[in-house]
């Protein structure tokens, strides 16, 4: 059966792959799938998001379901509100960090976590076999849900030592990247007694500030702002506010993997033995760090849903992706930029040190990634060729080739964009970069030859 769901919900270019008619049909399939009557709907700041939200709500109402409309909120806010306000499910309209012309649908189960792969397959089965819901005995209604944001902020504050954070009176530089965390993160940081400065605050569908995806390469503005203001730390969020990339007080950007290690160290210090879940493409430093706390590290395929659902199954406290997605199980089993910021402030407050000092104590990690643009068909051919040449390699997700010691390379097609992602780890940054270049070169010459 064809798949509609990618790594993170359903994504596409609005008006092309993601037509209003498609949104209508997928919403009908969701109406047939959801058990219960009430669904919370939220959306990110994209131009097409409001049209999509109206289509989703209208269709669900037509199928007899009631919708709460949370409006423009970050994805983790919508997810948290679904579970804490007692909705039977949720739909977030977002394409996260994808370029402006994209949009997407991310359905949320009643536990506040993205659909499991089984739920996704069930929705796809309904969609393709057109098992639409029966005509209801009454039409549903859509009403504004104003409790989502305050419930979310209150929830996050309750998970950290707010008074310890308060005492430090941190200066925090937020780069909301014209995205949805502008609605919640500045308010949260202020409520925790921080002096808050925000850059790229205006929500804008075109993401004119620095693009919708925070990467170490496009955060020079954040680094500069931190240095200029003498802030204790900086943080940048992606378009829908579930991922966060930090900057230390010297203006140095921490890779997502480094901030995850820092937070894991902080959380595991108080909870030794607690399980950590991460993907196959993150580095080995977490094994060293968690091993010291007798904590198991469980690996999954790449994708936040894989991490979330594995965390639930294993009752894990921490989950993370190398791209700045961090999950704190006590709060919710999803990536959450604002929760991660609060946890970072707690870690810094507890240490009595600066972010750069804490980061310097962590085990070293030399992990990097690159992308190669290519069609899905070409990407599959690359993977097949690599599998053929490396018969013993792990093929759980794309291919991960172990090269001895801490050296490995992983190649997989992106689940959201027409690109191949190449990841590598080695004993030094130089060696890691060489390894990446070697494999990117191999892939590019294969593509030139065959496509
Ligand atoms: Mg996101």
């Amino acid at each position: 059966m064809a798949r509609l769901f990618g790594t993170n919900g359903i994504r596409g270019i609005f008006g092309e792959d993601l037509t209003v008619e498609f949104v209508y049909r997928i919403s009908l399939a969701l109406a047939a799938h959801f058990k219960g009557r009430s669904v919370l709907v939220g959306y990110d700041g994209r131009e097409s998001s409001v049209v999509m939200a109206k289509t989703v709500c209208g269709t669900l109402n037509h199928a007899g379901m009631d919708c709460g409309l949370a409006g423009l909120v970050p994805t983790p806010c919508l997810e948290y509100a679904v579970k804490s306000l007692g909705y039977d499910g949720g739909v977030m309209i977002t394409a996260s960090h994808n370029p402006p012309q994209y949009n997407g649908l991310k359905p949320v189960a009643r536990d506040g976590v993205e659909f499991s792969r089984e739920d996704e397959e069930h929705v796809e089965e309904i969609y393709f076999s057109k098992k639409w819901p029966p005509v209801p005995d009454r039409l549903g209604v859509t009403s504004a849900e104003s409790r989502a944001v305050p419930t979310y902020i209150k929830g996050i504050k309750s998970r950290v030592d707010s008074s310890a954070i308060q005492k430090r009176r941190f200066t925090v530089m937020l780069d909301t990247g014209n995205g949805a965390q502008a609605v919640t993160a500045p308010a949260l940081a202020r409520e925790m007694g921080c002096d808050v400065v925000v850059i790229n605050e205006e929500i804008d569908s075109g993401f004119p500030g620095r693009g919708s995806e925070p990467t170490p390469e496009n955060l020079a503005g954040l680094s500069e702002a931190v240095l200029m203001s003498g802030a204790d730390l900086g943080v940048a969020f992606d378009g829908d506010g579930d991922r966060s990339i930090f900057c230390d007080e010297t203006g140095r950007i921490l890779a997502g993997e480094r901030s995850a290690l820092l937070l894991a160290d902080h959380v595991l210090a108080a909870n030794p033995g607690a399980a950590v879940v991460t993907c196959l493409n993150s580095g080995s430093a977490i094994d060293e760090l968690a091993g010291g706390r007798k904590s198991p590290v469980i690996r999954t395929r790449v994708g936040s849903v894989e991490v979330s659902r594995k965390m639930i199954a294993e009752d894990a406290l921490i989950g993370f992706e190398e791209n700045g997605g961090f999950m704190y199980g006590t709060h919710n089993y999803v990536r959450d930029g604002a929760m991660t910021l609060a946890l970072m402030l707690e870690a810094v407050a507890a240490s009595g040190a600066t972010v750069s000092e804490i980061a310097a104590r962590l085990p070293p990690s030399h992990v990097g990634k690159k992308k190669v643009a290519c069609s899905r068909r070409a990407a599959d051919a690359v993977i097949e060729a690599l599998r053929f040449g490396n018969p013993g390699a792990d093929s759980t997700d794309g291919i991960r080739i172990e090269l001895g010691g801490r050296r490995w390379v992983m190649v997989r097609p992106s689940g959201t964009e027409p690109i191949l992602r190449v990841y590598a780890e080695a004993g030094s940054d130089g060696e890691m970069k060489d390894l990446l270049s070697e494999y990117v070169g191999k892939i590019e010459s294969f593509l030139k030859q065959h496509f």
Side-chain angles (χ1 to χ4, degrees), residues 96-97 238 240 242-243 335:
S96 180
H97 63 279
D238 74 333
D240 68 328
D242 53 1
R243 278 160 54 185
R335 301 176 295 188

Side-chain angles (χ1 to χ4, degrees), residues 177-427:
N178 309 114
Q181 268 299 355
V183 174
T184 44
L188 168 73
R190 285 190 188 106
E191 285 189 30
M192 292 190 299
C194 301
D195 278 332
V196 179
V197 189
V198 190
I199 58 172
N200 299 319
E201 184 172 18
E202 198 176 322
I203 293 173
D204 188 318
S205 189
F207 304 108
R210 44 102 177 135
S212 48
E213 180 169 29
T215 63
E217 293 77 36
N218 68 8
L219 296 180
L222 176 66
S223 295
E224 239 168 73
V226 165
L227 276 175
M228 295 262 292
S229 63
D232 296 289
L233 63 88
V235 61
F237 303 105
D238 74 333
D240 68 328
D242 53 1
R243 278 160 54 185
S244 45
I245 295 286
F246 290 88
C247 171
D248 71 19
E249 78 290 353
T250 73
R252 190 170 160 174
I253 303 294
L254 271 64
E257 176 124 354
R258 297 301 289 168
S259 54
L261 288 171
L262 192 161
L263 295 170
D265 195 36
H266 169 64
V267 172
L268 294 181
N271 303 275
V276 178
V277 178
T278 188
C279 308
L280 277 163
N281 62 344
S282 55
S284 54
I286 186 64
D287 299 291
E288 187 182 333
L289 191 146
R293 305 279 188 200
K294 304 265 180 293
S295 286
V297 177
I298 301 149
R299 303 259 173 184
T300 68
R301 289 165 62 92
V302 174
S304 67
V305 185
E306 310 284 347
V307 177
S308 295
R309 292 291 160 195
K310 184 60 94 179
M311 282 180 79
I312 295 170
E314 301 284 342
D315 194 21
L317 190 55
I318 294 169
F320 75 91
E321 299 176 299
E322 51 71 44
N323 62 12
F326 189 86
M327 310 184 190
Y328 186 39
T330 313
H331 171 69
N332 201 4
Y333 298 101
V334 298
R335 301 176 295 188
D336 189 326
M339 179 69 241
T340 308
L341 167 61
L343 211 48
M344 181 62 81
L345 292 171
E346 183 187 69
V348 181
S351 74
T354 65
V355 178
S356 69
E357 287 165 354
I358 313 172
R361 292 181 209 141
L362 299 168
S365 50
H366 306 285
V367 193
K369 60 179 169 180
K370 282 199 163 179
K371 51 188 175 186
V372 181
C374 72
S375 69
R376 184 60 204 238
R377 198 169 67 87
D380 289 342
V382 168
I383 302 292
E384 204 184 306
L386 284 170
R387 281 182 184 159
F388 185 77
N390 300 273
D394 184 332
S395 59
T396 313
D397 189 358
I399 183 165
R400 180 172 151 142
I401 305 161
E402 300 295 333
L403 299 163
R406 278 188 172 191
R407 296 171 75 238
W408 55 264
V409 174
M410 182 168 171
V411 183
R412 65 180 292 276
S414 159
T416 58
E417 286 171 273
I419 53 175
L420 262 175
R421 292 197 187 276
V422 186
Y423 307 87
E425 177 172 19

